Amino acid sequence: MTDTRYNVIVIGGGVVGLAVGLEITRRFPRTRLLVLEKEAGVARHQSGHNSGVIHSGIYYKPGSLKARLCVAGAAAMVEFCREHGIPHRICGKVIVATRPEELPRLEDLRRRGEANGLTGLRIISPEELREIEPHAIGLQALVVPSTGVTDYALVCQKYAELISAAAGSVLTSVTATAIRRSTDEIIVETSRGAFATNGLINCAGLFSDRVARMAGDNPGVMIVPFRGEYYDLTPERAALVRALIYPVPDPQFPFLGVHFTRRITGKVDAGPNAVLALAREGYRHTDISPRDLVSSLTFPGFWRMARRHWRNGLGEWHRSLSKPAFVRALQTILPEVTASDLVPGGSGVRAQALRPDGGLVDDFQFVPSGNILHVLNVPSPAATASLTIAKTIVDSAAAGLGLS
Ligand SMILES: Cc1cc2nc3c(=O)[nH]c(=O)nc-3n(C[C@H](O)[C@H](O)[C@H](O)COP(=O)(O)OP(=O)(O)OC[C@H]3O[C@@H](n4cnc5c(N)ncnc54)[C@H](O)[C@@H]3O)c2cc1C
């Protein structure tokens, strides 16, 4: 028995699912749209546990979806925040090289940023760095003027509000538990009854591979949860950081290295690291899910990834379990920071897709399957790029989803 009928259902009330819902209600106003979210509110996972940075697009391979959608998405996000009165600030950031071997990588980043269309990038001396960030040290730094900060939980709330105002629905506390497909419709069974739809978009973040399997599709990847832990700078020491101070990232690893972020609230935090979590929603060390662990350990790509990245992984665990080690990593770019300046902050868990060959999927990945579209890899900078990701998804999937 089906309670209700829709044209499109989106599973996942994070920034991507909501942006997709908003794009559909804007472009196809007569569409009956439903966004399903298992938690009691939107943005309860990645979208509400991130650094709040509006990324510029400097890091990503020219021509990749990440590069294109981030650069255009950052501009769209700033415009969206302006239009809807969401607090945001374009504060710029510095990427600081502290070892000679990082200098060519800094230059590579500058070239990559220019290839991606960023302007105003410049490499500066230690003295110029001190004018921008008086407490940071380095051999050279790269200034990225277009980076900003906002609050993505507020962005999500606004997306949800606009969807509802446009006659779409966002239902919270409803978990999709099974998906049945026939030739002309899809039945989504949930913790609150069944819903019928002509098209489905899977934006389930940390569970997107499982939702794909629920729909009878082989996602071809497994989602690996990487926890990012933060420390907060005490209010007395927050003046050590004016805006955003980042290290040069390790090109072998898809994460940016622990950095300092002055958030839109004015609070400064340090992090996030990238520790393999023992549960998909494992926000603490003690959160362990036997099901998630077994699915990780039995996926062939997991052991291949472990062989490739074990040294990096051990380093991340060490910095996670030892505050002095975390502080030492931070001191390379901000030597005055000490352990007593830092108090434990929040954490977030990233959904990172892993291939069977052990490679971490680098680019955004959207996989169509008839009248279903699976959004299988949308790690950072997907919050920044959410509006352009949504546009791309709806452009490519409209026909398959029966939107016109
Ligand atoms: C620590 C950290 C820092 C980051 N920093 C930044 C940053 O500064 N800038 C940036 O641009 N990006 C950043 N990111 C990345 C960004 O937050 C994510 O890329 C983005 O939030 C992904 O959004 P999403 O909607 O795909 O996932 P989510 O926000 O995780 O949403 C997925 C939703 O699906 C729901 N769901 C799952 N299964 C079901 C089901 N069966 N039924 C119903 N609902 C279901 C979940 O409850 C969840 O709410 C960061 C991420 C993390 C973790």
Side-chain angles (χ1 to χ4, degrees), residues 11 16-17 20 201-205 207-209 212 223 364-368 372-378 389 393:
I11 299 180
V16 175
V20 168
I201 308 184
N202 160 16
C203 297
F207 292 95
S208 52
D209 57 342
I223 298 298
F364 296 146
Q365 188 170 302
F366 319 128
V367 179
I372 300 187
L373 184 95
H374 302 293
V375 176
L376 287 174
N377 196 54
V378 277
I389 287 174
I393 286 175

mmCIF file with all atom_site columns, all heavy atoms in Angstrom, residues 11 16-17 20 201-205 207-209 212 223 364-368 372-378 389 393:
data_model
loop_
_atom_site.group_PDB
_atom_site.id
_atom_site.type_symbol
_atom_site.label_atom_id
_atom_site.label_alt_id
_atom_site.label_comp_id
_atom_site.label_asym_id
_atom_site.label_entity_id
_atom_site.label_seq_id
_atom_site.pdbx_PDB_ins_code
_atom_site.Cartn_x
_atom_site.Cartn_y
_atom_site.Cartn_z
_atom_site.occupancy
_atom_site.B_iso_or_equiv
_atom_site.pdbx_formal_charge
_atom_site.auth_seq_id
_atom_site.auth_comp_id
_atom_site.auth_asym_id
_atom_site.auth_atom_id
_atom_site.pdbx_PDB_model_num
ATOM 1   N N   . ILE A 1 11  ? 16.544 11.185 -1.488  1.00 0.00 ? 11  ILE A N   1
ATOM 2   C CA  . ILE A 1 11  ? 16.867 10.621 -0.168  1.00 0.00 ? 11  ILE A CA  1
ATOM 3   C C   . ILE A 1 11  ? 18.090 11.361 0.359   1.00 0.00 ? 11  ILE A C   1
ATOM 4   O O   . ILE A 1 11  ? 19.155 11.332 -0.251  1.00 0.00 ? 11  ILE A O   1
ATOM 5   C CB  . ILE A 1 11  ? 17.148 9.102  -0.244  1.00 0.00 ? 11  ILE A CB  1
ATOM 6   C CG1 . ILE A 1 11  ? 15.898 8.369  -0.751  1.00 0.00 ? 11  ILE A CG1 1
ATOM 7   C CG2 . ILE A 1 11  ? 17.573 8.563  1.132   1.00 0.00 ? 11  ILE A CG2 1
ATOM 8   C CD1 . ILE A 1 11  ? 16.056 6.857  -0.870  1.00 0.00 ? 11  ILE A CD1 1
ATOM 9   N N   . VAL A 1 16  ? 23.606 18.634 -0.295  1.00 0.00 ? 16  VAL A N   1
ATOM 10  C CA  . VAL A 1 16  ? 23.489 18.234 -1.704  1.00 0.00 ? 16  VAL A CA  1
ATOM 11  C C   . VAL A 1 16  ? 22.044 17.859 -2.031  1.00 0.00 ? 16  VAL A C   1
ATOM 12  O O   . VAL A 1 16  ? 21.465 18.366 -3.000  1.00 0.00 ? 16  VAL A O   1
ATOM 13  C CB  . VAL A 1 16  ? 24.478 17.086 -2.037  1.00 0.00 ? 16  VAL A CB  1
ATOM 14  C CG1 . VAL A 1 16  ? 24.268 16.595 -3.463  1.00 0.00 ? 16  VAL A CG1 1
ATOM 15  C CG2 . VAL A 1 16  ? 25.917 17.561 -1.851  1.00 0.00 ? 16  VAL A CG2 1
ATOM 16  N N   . GLY A 1 17  ? 21.435 17.001 -1.198  1.00 0.00 ? 17  GLY A N   1
ATOM 17  C CA  . GLY A 1 17  ? 20.043 16.604 -1.457  1.00 0.00 ? 17  GLY A CA  1
ATOM 18  C C   . GLY A 1 17  ? 19.113 17.802 -1.470  1.00 0.00 ? 17  GLY A C   1
ATOM 19  O O   . GLY A 1 17  ? 18.223 17.912 -2.322  1.00 0.00 ? 17  GLY A O   1
ATOM 20  N N   . VAL A 1 20  ? 19.623 19.911 -4.587  1.00 0.00 ? 20  VAL A N   1
ATOM 21  C CA  . VAL A 1 20  ? 18.986 19.254 -5.735  1.00 0.00 ? 20  VAL A CA  1
ATOM 22  C C   . VAL A 1 20  ? 17.478 19.493 -5.677  1.00 0.00 ? 20  VAL A C   1
ATOM 23  O O   . VAL A 1 20  ? 16.843 19.842 -6.683  1.00 0.00 ? 20  VAL A O   1
ATOM 24  C CB  . VAL A 1 20  ? 19.321 17.740 -5.746  1.00 0.00 ? 20  VAL A CB  1
ATOM 25  C CG1 . VAL A 1 20  ? 18.442 16.991 -6.741  1.00 0.00 ? 20  VAL A CG1 1
ATOM 26  C CG2 . VAL A 1 20  ? 20.794 17.517 -6.078  1.00 0.00 ? 20  VAL A CG2 1
ATOM 27  N N   . ILE A 1 201 ? 16.471 10.324 -6.463  1.00 0.00 ? 201 ILE A N   1
ATOM 28  C CA  . ILE A 1 201 ? 17.867 10.773 -6.414  1.00 0.00 ? 201 ILE A CA  1
ATOM 29  C C   . ILE A 1 201 ? 18.418 10.404 -5.041  1.00 0.00 ? 201 ILE A C   1
ATOM 30  O O   . ILE A 1 201 ? 17.866 10.804 -4.007  1.00 0.00 ? 201 ILE A O   1
ATOM 31  C CB  . ILE A 1 201 ? 17.993 12.284 -6.687  1.00 0.00 ? 201 ILE A CB  1
ATOM 32  C CG1 . ILE A 1 201 ? 17.248 12.630 -7.991  1.00 0.00 ? 201 ILE A CG1 1
ATOM 33  C CG2 . ILE A 1 201 ? 19.458 12.674 -6.796  1.00 0.00 ? 201 ILE A CG2 1
ATOM 34  C CD1 . ILE A 1 201 ? 17.365 14.065 -8.417  1.00 0.00 ? 201 ILE A CD1 1
ATOM 35  N N   . ASN A 1 202 ? 19.491 9.635  -5.072  1.00 0.00 ? 202 ASN A N   1
ATOM 36  C CA  . ASN A 1 202 ? 20.100 9.137  -3.831  1.00 0.00 ? 202 ASN A CA  1
ATOM 37  C C   . ASN A 1 202 ? 21.221 10.092 -3.414  1.00 0.00 ? 202 ASN A C   1
ATOM 38  O O   . ASN A 1 202 ? 22.279 10.127 -4.026  1.00 0.00 ? 202 ASN A O   1
ATOM 39  C CB  . ASN A 1 202 ? 20.621 7.713  -4.121  1.00 0.00 ? 202 ASN A CB  1
ATOM 40  C CG  . ASN A 1 202 ? 21.680 7.245  -3.131  1.00 0.00 ? 202 ASN A CG  1
ATOM 41  O OD1 . ASN A 1 202 ? 21.862 7.812  -2.059  1.00 0.00 ? 202 ASN A OD1 1
ATOM 42  N ND2 . ASN A 1 202 ? 22.378 6.167  -3.499  1.00 0.00 ? 202 ASN A ND2 1
ATOM 43  N N   . CYS A 1 203 ? 20.936 10.889 -2.372  1.00 0.00 ? 203 CYS A N   1
ATOM 44  C CA  . CYS A 1 203 ? 21.939 11.827 -1.843  1.00 0.00 ? 203 CYS A CA  1
ATOM 45  C C   . CYS A 1 203 ? 22.188 11.488 -0.378  1.00 0.00 ? 203 CYS A C   1
ATOM 46  O O   . CYS A 1 203 ? 22.166 12.361 0.492   1.00 0.00 ? 203 CYS A O   1
ATOM 47  C CB  . CYS A 1 203 ? 21.446 13.268 -1.945  1.00 0.00 ? 203 CYS A CB  1
ATOM 48  S SG  . CYS A 1 203 ? 21.155 13.844 -3.614  1.00 0.00 ? 203 CYS A SG  1
ATOM 49  N N   . ALA A 1 204 ? 22.390 10.180 -0.107  1.00 0.00 ? 204 ALA A N   1
ATOM 50  C CA  . ALA A 1 204 ? 22.409 9.717  1.286   1.00 0.00 ? 204 ALA A CA  1
ATOM 51  C C   . ALA A 1 204 ? 23.788 9.799  1.934   1.00 0.00 ? 204 ALA A C   1
ATOM 52  O O   . ALA A 1 204 ? 24.004 9.211  2.989   1.00 0.00 ? 204 ALA A O   1
ATOM 53  C CB  . ALA A 1 204 ? 21.849 8.302  1.356   1.00 0.00 ? 204 ALA A CB  1
ATOM 54  N N   . GLY A 1 205 ? 24.713 10.508 1.339   1.00 0.00 ? 205 GLY A N   1
ATOM 55  C CA  . GLY A 1 205 ? 25.999 10.796 1.984   1.00 0.00 ? 205 GLY A CA  1
ATOM 56  C C   . GLY A 1 205 ? 26.723 9.537  2.426   1.00 0.00 ? 205 GLY A C   1
ATOM 57  O O   . GLY A 1 205 ? 27.093 8.687  1.611   1.00 0.00 ? 205 GLY A O   1
ATOM 58  N N   . PHE A 1 207 ? 25.749 6.936  3.555   1.00 0.00 ? 207 PHE A N   1
ATOM 59  C CA  . PHE A 1 207 ? 25.045 5.680  3.258   1.00 0.00 ? 207 PHE A CA  1
ATOM 60  C C   . PHE A 1 207 ? 24.675 5.569  1.774   1.00 0.00 ? 207 PHE A C   1
ATOM 61  O O   . PHE A 1 207 ? 23.850 4.732  1.413   1.00 0.00 ? 207 PHE A O   1
ATOM 62  C CB  . PHE A 1 207 ? 23.797 5.553  4.140   1.00 0.00 ? 207 PHE A CB  1
ATOM 63  C CG  . PHE A 1 207 ? 24.157 5.366  5.580   1.00 0.00 ? 207 PHE A CG  1
ATOM 64  C CD1 . PHE A 1 207 ? 24.228 6.432  6.447   1.00 0.00 ? 207 PHE A CD1 1
ATOM 65  C CD2 . PHE A 1 207 ? 24.490 4.099  6.054   1.00 0.00 ? 207 PHE A CD2 1
ATOM 66  C CE1 . PHE A 1 207 ? 24.614 6.260  7.769   1.00 0.00 ? 207 PHE A CE1 1
ATOM 67  C CE2 . PHE A 1 207 ? 24.873 3.911  7.379   1.00 0.00 ? 207 PHE A CE2 1
ATOM 68  C CZ  . PHE A 1 207 ? 24.932 5.000  8.238   1.00 0.00 ? 207 PHE A CZ  1
ATOM 69  N N   . SER A 1 208 ? 25.266 6.387  0.930   1.00 0.00 ? 208 SER A N   1
ATOM 70  C CA  . SER A 1 208 ? 24.822 6.409  -0.470  1.00 0.00 ? 208 SER A CA  1
ATOM 71  C C   . SER A 1 208 ? 25.095 5.083  -1.176  1.00 0.00 ? 208 SER A C   1
ATOM 72  O O   . SER A 1 208 ? 24.314 4.666  -2.043  1.00 0.00 ? 208 SER A O   1
ATOM 73  C CB  . SER A 1 208 ? 25.452 7.573  -1.223  1.00 0.00 ? 208 SER A CB  1
ATOM 74  O OG  . SER A 1 208 ? 26.842 7.545  -1.054  1.00 0.00 ? 208 SER A OG  1
ATOM 75  N N   . ASP A 1 209 ? 26.187 4.404  -0.815  1.00 0.00 ? 209 ASP A N   1
ATOM 76  C CA  . ASP A 1 209 ? 26.441 3.091  -1.456  1.00 0.00 ? 209 ASP A CA  1
ATOM 77  C C   . ASP A 1 209 ? 25.391 2.075  -1.014  1.00 0.00 ? 209 ASP A C   1
ATOM 78  O O   . ASP A 1 209 ? 24.923 1.263  -1.805  1.00 0.00 ? 209 ASP A O   1
ATOM 79  C CB  . ASP A 1 209 ? 27.875 2.600  -1.167  1.00 0.00 ? 209 ASP A CB  1
ATOM 80  C CG  . ASP A 1 209 ? 28.180 2.488  0.328   1.00 0.00 ? 209 ASP A CG  1
ATOM 81  O OD1 . ASP A 1 209 ? 27.451 3.092  1.144   1.00 0.00 ? 209 ASP A OD1 1
ATOM 82  O OD2 . ASP A 1 209 ? 29.154 1.790  0.698   1.00 0.00 ? 209 ASP A OD2 1
ATOM 83  N N   . ALA A 1 212 ? 22.189 2.707  -2.815  1.00 0.00 ? 212 ALA A N   1
ATOM 84  C CA  . ALA A 1 212 ? 22.304 2.207  -4.198  1.00 0.00 ? 212 ALA A CA  1
ATOM 85  C C   . ALA A 1 212 ? 22.033 0.703  -4.221  1.00 0.00 ? 212 ALA A C   1
ATOM 86  O O   . ALA A 1 212 ? 21.300 0.208  -5.079  1.00 0.00 ? 212 ALA A O   1
ATOM 87  C CB  . ALA A 1 212 ? 23.690 2.519  -4.766  1.00 0.00 ? 212 ALA A CB  1
ATOM 88  N N   . ILE A 1 223 ? 31.673 3.376  0.583   1.00 0.00 ? 223 ILE A N   1
ATOM 89  C CA  . ILE A 1 223 ? 31.919 4.635  1.303   1.00 0.00 ? 223 ILE A CA  1
ATOM 90  C C   . ILE A 1 223 ? 32.757 4.334  2.547   1.00 0.00 ? 223 ILE A C   1
ATOM 91  O O   . ILE A 1 223 ? 32.399 3.490  3.361   1.00 0.00 ? 223 ILE A O   1
ATOM 92  C CB  . ILE A 1 223 ? 30.583 5.302  1.720   1.00 0.00 ? 223 ILE A CB  1
ATOM 93  C CG1 . ILE A 1 223 ? 29.749 5.668  0.482   1.00 0.00 ? 223 ILE A CG1 1
ATOM 94  C CG2 . ILE A 1 223 ? 30.845 6.536  2.589   1.00 0.00 ? 223 ILE A CG2 1
ATOM 95  C CD1 . ILE A 1 223 ? 30.370 6.679  -0.465  1.00 0.00 ? 223 ILE A CD1 1
ATOM 96  N N   . PHE A 1 364 ? 33.959 14.307 -7.991  1.00 0.00 ? 364 PHE A N   1
ATOM 97  C CA  . PHE A 1 364 ? 32.546 14.040 -7.698  1.00 0.00 ? 364 PHE A CA  1
ATOM 98  C C   . PHE A 1 364 ? 32.084 12.915 -8.612  1.00 0.00 ? 364 PHE A C   1
ATOM 99  O O   . PHE A 1 364 ? 32.522 12.820 -9.767  1.00 0.00 ? 364 PHE A O   1
ATOM 100 C CB  . PHE A 1 364 ? 31.687 15.277 -7.965  1.00 0.00 ? 364 PHE A CB  1
ATOM 101 C CG  . PHE A 1 364 ? 32.010 16.461 -7.076  1.00 0.00 ? 364 PHE A CG  1
ATOM 102 C CD1 . PHE A 1 364 ? 31.900 17.763 -7.576  1.00 0.00 ? 364 PHE A CD1 1
ATOM 103 C CD2 . PHE A 1 364 ? 32.388 16.293 -5.752  1.00 0.00 ? 364 PHE A CD2 1
ATOM 104 C CE1 . PHE A 1 364 ? 32.172 18.866 -6.764  1.00 0.00 ? 364 PHE A CE1 1
ATOM 105 C CE2 . PHE A 1 364 ? 32.660 17.391 -4.933  1.00 0.00 ? 364 PHE A CE2 1
ATOM 106 C CZ  . PHE A 1 364 ? 32.555 18.677 -5.449  1.00 0.00 ? 364 PHE A CZ  1
ATOM 107 N N   . GLN A 1 365 ? 31.169 12.079 -8.120  1.00 0.00 ? 365 GLN A N   1
ATOM 108 C CA  . GLN A 1 365 ? 30.693 10.968 -8.943  1.00 0.00 ? 365 GLN A CA  1
ATOM 109 C C   . GLN A 1 365 ? 29.178 10.817 -8.837  1.00 0.00 ? 365 GLN A C   1
ATOM 110 O O   . GLN A 1 365 ? 28.654 10.630 -7.739  1.00 0.00 ? 365 GLN A O   1
ATOM 111 C CB  . GLN A 1 365 ? 31.390 9.685  -8.489  1.00 0.00 ? 365 GLN A CB  1
ATOM 112 C CG  . GLN A 1 365 ? 31.116 8.521  -9.407  1.00 0.00 ? 365 GLN A CG  1
ATOM 113 C CD  . GLN A 1 365 ? 32.005 7.323  -9.071  1.00 0.00 ? 365 GLN A CD  1
ATOM 114 O OE1 . GLN A 1 365 ? 33.232 7.417  -9.093  1.00 0.00 ? 365 GLN A OE1 1
ATOM 115 N NE2 . GLN A 1 365 ? 31.397 6.203  -8.756  1.00 0.00 ? 365 GLN A NE2 1
ATOM 116 N N   . PHE A 1 366 ? 28.516 10.931 -9.989  1.00 0.00 ? 366 PHE A N   1
ATOM 117 C CA  . PHE A 1 366 ? 27.056 10.767 -10.059 1.00 0.00 ? 366 PHE A CA  1
ATOM 118 C C   . PHE A 1 366 ? 26.795 9.619  -11.034 1.00 0.00 ? 366 PHE A C   1
ATOM 119 O O   . PHE A 1 366 ? 27.277 9.664  -12.166 1.00 0.00 ? 366 PHE A O   1
ATOM 120 C CB  . PHE A 1 366 ? 26.379 12.033 -10.617 1.00 0.00 ? 366 PHE A CB  1
ATOM 121 C CG  . PHE A 1 366 ? 26.950 13.335 -10.090 1.00 0.00 ? 366 PHE A CG  1
ATOM 122 C CD1 . PHE A 1 366 ? 27.353 14.339 -10.964 1.00 0.00 ? 366 PHE A CD1 1
ATOM 123 C CD2 . PHE A 1 366 ? 27.091 13.548 -8.721  1.00 0.00 ? 366 PHE A CD2 1
ATOM 124 C CE1 . PHE A 1 366 ? 27.883 15.539 -10.491 1.00 0.00 ? 366 PHE A CE1 1
ATOM 125 C CE2 . PHE A 1 366 ? 27.624 14.745 -8.239  1.00 0.00 ? 366 PHE A CE2 1
ATOM 126 C CZ  . PHE A 1 366 ? 28.014 15.737 -9.128  1.00 0.00 ? 366 PHE A CZ  1
ATOM 127 N N   . VAL A 1 367 ? 26.028 8.612  -10.600 1.00 0.00 ? 367 VAL A N   1
ATOM 128 C CA  . VAL A 1 367 ? 25.843 7.422  -11.443 1.00 0.00 ? 367 VAL A CA  1
ATOM 129 C C   . VAL A 1 367 ? 24.359 7.200  -11.739 1.00 0.00 ? 367 VAL A C   1
ATOM 130 O O   . VAL A 1 367 ? 23.590 6.866  -10.833 1.00 0.00 ? 367 VAL A O   1
ATOM 131 C CB  . VAL A 1 367 ? 26.451 6.180  -10.738 1.00 0.00 ? 367 VAL A CB  1
ATOM 132 C CG1 . VAL A 1 367 ? 26.251 4.931  -11.581 1.00 0.00 ? 367 VAL A CG1 1
ATOM 133 C CG2 . VAL A 1 367 ? 27.926 6.396  -10.453 1.00 0.00 ? 367 VAL A CG2 1
ATOM 134 N N   . PRO A 1 368 ? 23.949 7.379  -13.013 1.00 0.00 ? 368 PRO A N   1
ATOM 135 C CA  . PRO A 1 368 ? 22.542 7.144  -13.352 1.00 0.00 ? 368 PRO A CA  1
ATOM 136 C C   . PRO A 1 368 ? 22.244 5.655  -13.487 1.00 0.00 ? 368 PRO A C   1
ATOM 137 O O   . PRO A 1 368 ? 23.102 4.877  -13.884 1.00 0.00 ? 368 PRO A O   1
ATOM 138 C CB  . PRO A 1 368 ? 22.380 7.842  -14.711 1.00 0.00 ? 368 PRO A CB  1
ATOM 139 C CG  . PRO A 1 368 ? 23.752 7.926  -15.293 1.00 0.00 ? 368 PRO A CG  1
ATOM 140 C CD  . PRO A 1 368 ? 24.751 7.819  -14.176 1.00 0.00 ? 368 PRO A CD  1
ATOM 141 N N   . ILE A 1 372 ? 16.731 6.368  -11.679 1.00 0.00 ? 372 ILE A N   1
ATOM 142 C CA  . ILE A 1 372 ? 17.377 6.666  -10.381 1.00 0.00 ? 372 ILE A CA  1
ATOM 143 C C   . ILE A 1 372 ? 18.746 7.268  -10.661 1.00 0.00 ? 372 ILE A C   1
ATOM 144 O O   . ILE A 1 372 ? 19.424 6.875  -11.613 1.00 0.00 ? 372 ILE A O   1
ATOM 145 C CB  . ILE A 1 372 ? 17.535 5.376  -9.532  1.00 0.00 ? 372 ILE A CB  1
ATOM 146 C CG1 . ILE A 1 372 ? 16.154 4.747  -9.268  1.00 0.00 ? 372 ILE A CG1 1
ATOM 147 C CG2 . ILE A 1 372 ? 18.252 5.675  -8.230  1.00 0.00 ? 372 ILE A CG2 1
ATOM 148 C CD1 . ILE A 1 372 ? 16.171 3.575  -8.307  1.00 0.00 ? 372 ILE A CD1 1
ATOM 149 N N   . LEU A 1 373 ? 19.139 8.254  -9.847  1.00 0.00 ? 373 LEU A N   1
ATOM 150 C CA  . LEU A 1 373 ? 20.499 8.781  -9.949  1.00 0.00 ? 373 LEU A CA  1
ATOM 151 C C   . LEU A 1 373 ? 21.156 8.645  -8.575  1.00 0.00 ? 373 LEU A C   1
ATOM 152 O O   . LEU A 1 373 ? 20.595 9.086  -7.567  1.00 0.00 ? 373 LEU A O   1
ATOM 153 C CB  . LEU A 1 373 ? 20.486 10.252 -10.367 1.00 0.00 ? 373 LEU A CB  1
ATOM 154 C CG  . LEU A 1 373 ? 21.914 10.760 -10.556 1.00 0.00 ? 373 LEU A CG  1
ATOM 155 C CD1 . LEU A 1 373 ? 22.327 10.664 -12.022 1.00 0.00 ? 373 LEU A CD1 1
ATOM 156 C CD2 . LEU A 1 373 ? 22.079 12.170 -10.068 1.00 0.00 ? 373 LEU A CD2 1
ATOM 157 N N   . HIS A 1 374 ? 22.337 8.023  -8.551  1.00 0.00 ? 374 HIS A N   1
ATOM 158 C CA  . HIS A 1 374 ? 23.057 7.857  -7.288  1.00 0.00 ? 374 HIS A CA  1
ATOM 159 C C   . HIS A 1 374 ? 24.191 8.887  -7.206  1.00 0.00 ? 374 HIS A C   1
ATOM 160 O O   . HIS A 1 374 ? 25.040 8.946  -8.105  1.00 0.00 ? 374 HIS A O   1
ATOM 161 C CB  . HIS A 1 374 ? 23.651 6.447  -7.197  1.00 0.00 ? 374 HIS A CB  1
ATOM 162 C CG  . HIS A 1 374 ? 22.632 5.361  -7.304  1.00 0.00 ? 374 HIS A CG  1
ATOM 163 N ND1 . HIS A 1 374 ? 21.667 5.161  -6.337  1.00 0.00 ? 374 HIS A ND1 1
ATOM 164 C CD2 . HIS A 1 374 ? 22.410 4.427  -8.269  1.00 0.00 ? 374 HIS A CD2 1
ATOM 165 C CE1 . HIS A 1 374 ? 20.905 4.133  -6.694  1.00 0.00 ? 374 HIS A CE1 1
ATOM 166 N NE2 . HIS A 1 374 ? 21.324 3.679  -7.858  1.00 0.00 ? 374 HIS A NE2 1
ATOM 167 N N   . VAL A 1 375 ? 24.191 9.672  -6.156  1.00 0.00 ? 375 VAL A N   1
ATOM 168 C CA  . VAL A 1 375 ? 25.264 10.642 -5.923  1.00 0.00 ? 375 VAL A CA  1
ATOM 169 C C   . VAL A 1 375 ? 26.238 9.948  -4.971  1.00 0.00 ? 375 VAL A C   1
ATOM 170 O O   . VAL A 1 375 ? 25.966 9.837  -3.776  1.00 0.00 ? 375 VAL A O   1
ATOM 171 C CB  . VAL A 1 375 ? 24.681 11.932 -5.324  1.00 0.00 ? 375 VAL A CB  1
ATOM 172 C CG1 . VAL A 1 375 ? 25.791 12.907 -4.982  1.00 0.00 ? 375 VAL A CG1 1
ATOM 173 C CG2 . VAL A 1 375 ? 23.695 12.562 -6.300  1.00 0.00 ? 375 VAL A CG2 1
ATOM 174 N N   . LEU A 1 376 ? 27.339 9.444  -5.537  1.00 0.00 ? 376 LEU A N   1
ATOM 175 C CA  . LEU A 1 376 ? 28.153 8.501  -4.760  1.00 0.00 ? 376 LEU A CA  1
ATOM 176 C C   . LEU A 1 376 ? 29.430 9.093  -4.193  1.00 0.00 ? 376 LEU A C   1
ATOM 177 O O   . LEU A 1 376 ? 30.054 8.490  -3.333  1.00 0.00 ? 376 LEU A O   1
ATOM 178 C CB  . LEU A 1 376 ? 28.508 7.294  -5.635  1.00 0.00 ? 376 LEU A CB  1
ATOM 179 C CG  . LEU A 1 376 ? 27.337 6.347  -5.895  1.00 0.00 ? 376 LEU A CG  1
ATOM 180 C CD1 . LEU A 1 376 ? 27.723 5.268  -6.882  1.00 0.00 ? 376 LEU A CD1 1
ATOM 181 C CD2 . LEU A 1 376 ? 26.824 5.729  -4.607  1.00 0.00 ? 376 LEU A CD2 1
ATOM 182 N N   . ASN A 1 377 ? 29.857 10.227 -4.682  1.00 0.00 ? 377 ASN A N   1
ATOM 183 C CA  . ASN A 1 377 ? 31.065 10.824 -4.085  1.00 0.00 ? 377 ASN A CA  1
ATOM 184 C C   . ASN A 1 377 ? 30.965 12.333 -4.182  1.00 0.00 ? 377 ASN A C   1
ATOM 185 O O   . ASN A 1 377 ? 31.172 12.918 -5.246  1.00 0.00 ? 377 ASN A O   1
ATOM 186 C CB  . ASN A 1 377 ? 32.332 10.321 -4.812  1.00 0.00 ? 377 ASN A CB  1
ATOM 187 C CG  . ASN A 1 377 ? 33.587 10.598 -3.996  1.00 0.00 ? 377 ASN A CG  1
ATOM 188 O OD1 . ASN A 1 377 ? 33.674 10.204 -2.822  1.00 0.00 ? 377 ASN A OD1 1
ATOM 189 N ND2 . ASN A 1 377 ? 34.551 11.295 -4.567  1.00 0.00 ? 377 ASN A ND2 1
ATOM 190 N N   . VAL A 1 378 ? 30.594 12.939 -3.067  1.00 0.00 ? 378 VAL A N   1
ATOM 191 C CA  . VAL A 1 378 ? 30.536 14.404 -3.021  1.00 0.00 ? 378 VAL A CA  1
ATOM 192 C C   . VAL A 1 378 ? 31.204 14.900 -1.729  1.00 0.00 ? 378 VAL A C   1
ATOM 193 O O   . VAL A 1 378 ? 30.572 15.511 -0.888  1.00 0.00 ? 378 VAL A O   1
ATOM 194 C CB  . VAL A 1 378 ? 29.103 14.970 -3.161  1.00 0.00 ? 378 VAL A CB  1
ATOM 195 C CG1 . VAL A 1 378 ? 28.684 15.068 -4.605  1.00 0.00 ? 378 VAL A CG1 1
ATOM 196 C CG2 . VAL A 1 378 ? 28.079 14.183 -2.361  1.00 0.00 ? 378 VAL A CG2 1
ATOM 197 N N   . ILE A 1 389 ? 26.493 21.759 -8.194  1.00 0.00 ? 389 ILE A N   1
ATOM 198 C CA  . ILE A 1 389 ? 26.328 20.295 -8.261  1.00 0.00 ? 389 ILE A CA  1
ATOM 199 C C   . ILE A 1 389 ? 24.863 19.999 -8.593  1.00 0.00 ? 389 ILE A C   1
ATOM 200 O O   . ILE A 1 389 ? 24.549 19.178 -9.457  1.00 0.00 ? 389 ILE A O   1
ATOM 201 C CB  . ILE A 1 389 ? 26.712 19.636 -6.911  1.00 0.00 ? 389 ILE A CB  1
ATOM 202 C CG1 . ILE A 1 389 ? 28.228 19.668 -6.709  1.00 0.00 ? 389 ILE A CG1 1
ATOM 203 C CG2 . ILE A 1 389 ? 26.192 18.202 -6.837  1.00 0.00 ? 389 ILE A CG2 1
ATOM 204 C CD1 . ILE A 1 389 ? 28.684 19.165 -5.341  1.00 0.00 ? 389 ILE A CD1 1
ATOM 205 N N   . ILE A 1 393 ? 23.438 17.962 -11.785 1.00 0.00 ? 393 ILE A N   1
ATOM 206 C CA  . ILE A 1 393 ? 22.666 16.724 -11.617 1.00 0.00 ? 393 ILE A CA  1
ATOM 207 C C   . ILE A 1 393 ? 21.323 16.858 -12.333 1.00 0.00 ? 393 ILE A C   1
ATOM 208 O O   . ILE A 1 393 ? 20.907 15.963 -13.080 1.00 0.00 ? 393 ILE A O   1
ATOM 209 C CB  . ILE A 1 393 ? 22.462 16.431 -10.110 1.00 0.00 ? 393 ILE A CB  1
ATOM 210 C CG1 . ILE A 1 393 ? 23.771 15.942 -9.501  1.00 0.00 ? 393 ILE A CG1 1
ATOM 211 C CG2 . ILE A 1 393 ? 21.335 15.423 -9.887  1.00 0.00 ? 393 ILE A CG2 1
ATOM 212 C CD1 . ILE A 1 393 ? 23.723 15.736 -8.000  1.00 0.00 ? 393 ILE A CD1 1
#
